[in-house]
Amino acid sequence: MAPDARSPAQKEPVIGLALGSGSARGWAHIGVIEELEALGVRPQIVAGTSIGALVGAVYVSGQLKEFSEWVRQLTARDVFGLLDIKFAGGMVKGEKLFGLFMEQHKNPKIEGLDQKFISIATEMLTGREIWITHGPILSAARASCAMPGLFSPVQHDERWMLDGGLVNPVPVSAARAAGAQLIIAVNLNVQLIGTHLSRTSRQQVESDAATATAEEKTIWQKVAEYFSAAEGEPPSFFDVIASSVNIMQDRITRSRMAGDPPEITLVPLLPDFALMDFHRAAEAIEEGRRLVQRNANDILTRIGRDPSTAAAEVGKGTAGI
């Protein structure tokens, strides 16, 4: 009998989902989860880092459908309008964005959920990897979303936290420690662009600025200068930070996943997605769905199910998430 084969009498493994960091590319996590649910695959354990923590938190708290609809409607103007940029300090505080998010979403405590949830953060003072497994779920996710050069540090349980991607970009180890026997990992740290804005997004910013008021044009110009250098110019300060963080996270991801490899690794193909392309959610979500569809047979086989019996369900959607 093949190593992964299971008789009908055998129980399926405890499934863990490790959702990696990757800023705007993380909208692909939504499509991955939607299509896993369409296959009838519901992870008992969800571990997330940065954007993976945010999407994972929304999912396990039963709000993914509404969240998916909201992010699909975001425009470049919406995204930058939600960022409370402090140009003097070189940081986005994130209070406006996450404040609005918390107003619109439920914020249950992690320990009261049906699925286990772990949010990965980095303690700023010591550099320690912190696993947040209790308390309000959106606060736990916010603590993981403090990428250098994008969002400012967050105080959680009287400690200042940085982005979890600095220490554990794809949290396979956390899902494993929580009891997962089969882990599906979504790795966004491939095909990375070392800029905050892609060419497509810069064109959108310029288009929006063309129809804006004089005051708005000044703001849009600052946004463009803050996040990206113009075509042909040397990299901006924050482009350098973006590229450096991307390189670091890619190397950390390779090292950690080599030491503790997941049973299934999913890699979204988003070659022209930059860090701030949050308004391109529809593209990323659809790639996440296609990714699961391409790997459906392998996923079902490893779980111990016959792919032929579930084939009709692939791509039908997940209205009940």
Side-chain angles (χ1 to χ4, degrees), residues 85-284:
I85 299 173
K86 304 298 180 183
F87 295 100
M91 286 284 186
V92 177
K93 292 184 68 177
E95 292 177 359
K96 187 175 182 180
L97 171 61
F98 284 94
L100 175 64
F101 185 79
M102 290 185 179
E103 286 177 7
Q104 296 179 344
H105 294 81
K106 294 179 293 184
N107 192 16
K109 290 192 174 181
I110 297 172
E111 52 268 37
L113 300 171
D114 293 334
Q115 294 161 289
K116 290 184 180 179
F117 177 74
I118 308 107
S119 176
I120 312 302
T122 304
E123 186 178 11
M124 185 173 177
L125 181 62
T126 64
R128 291 175 56 223
E129 179 178 338
I130 304 297
W131 296 356
I132 304 175
T133 58
H134 66 278
I137 194 165
L138 297 183
S139 299
R142 174 66 182 97
S144 183
C145 300
M147 183 177 179
L150 187 55
F151 291 112
S152 57
V154 179
Q155 193 168 29
H156 183 82
D157 286 346
E158 300 183 353
R159 295 180 293 184
W160 287 100
M161 300 294 183
L162 296 173
D163 197 283
L166 297 174
V167 289
N168 197 350
V170 186
V172 174
S173 57
R176 189 89 66 194
Q181 298 168 320
L182 185 149
I183 296 175
I184 302 171
V186 186
N187 179 12
L188 304 174
N189 295 306
V190 179
Q191 298 178 309
L192 292 173
I193 295 178
T195 60
H196 279 85
L197 285 177
S198 63
R199 179 178 299 180
T200 300
S201 295
R202 286 197 298 269
Q203 292 172 346
Q204 182 64 55
V205 169
E206 293 169 1
S207 174
D208 286 337
T211 60
T213 65
E215 182 179 357
E216 288 176 331
K217 285 181 179 179
T218 301
I219 295 174
W220 283 106
Q221 183 179 9
K222 286 185 177 181
V223 167
E225 292 174 353
Y226 179 85
F227 285 116
S228 186
E231 192 78 22
E233 291 185 359
S236 71
F237 175 68
F238 287 98
D239 279 346
V240 173
I241 291 179
S243 183
S244 300
V245 171
N246 284 344
I247 292 169
M248 177 198 67
Q249 291 194 63
D250 176 55
R251 295 303 185 268
I252 294 174
T253 300
R254 291 170 186 248
S255 176
R256 296 204 62 156
M257 291 181 71
D260 187 8
E263 283 65 35
I264 299 170
T265 301
L266 302 178
V267 179
L269 302 178
L270 298 166
D272 66 336
F273 257 67
L275 293 177
M276 288 300 297
D277 285 352
F278 290 104
H279 58 287
R280 300 172 63 188
E283 299 172 57

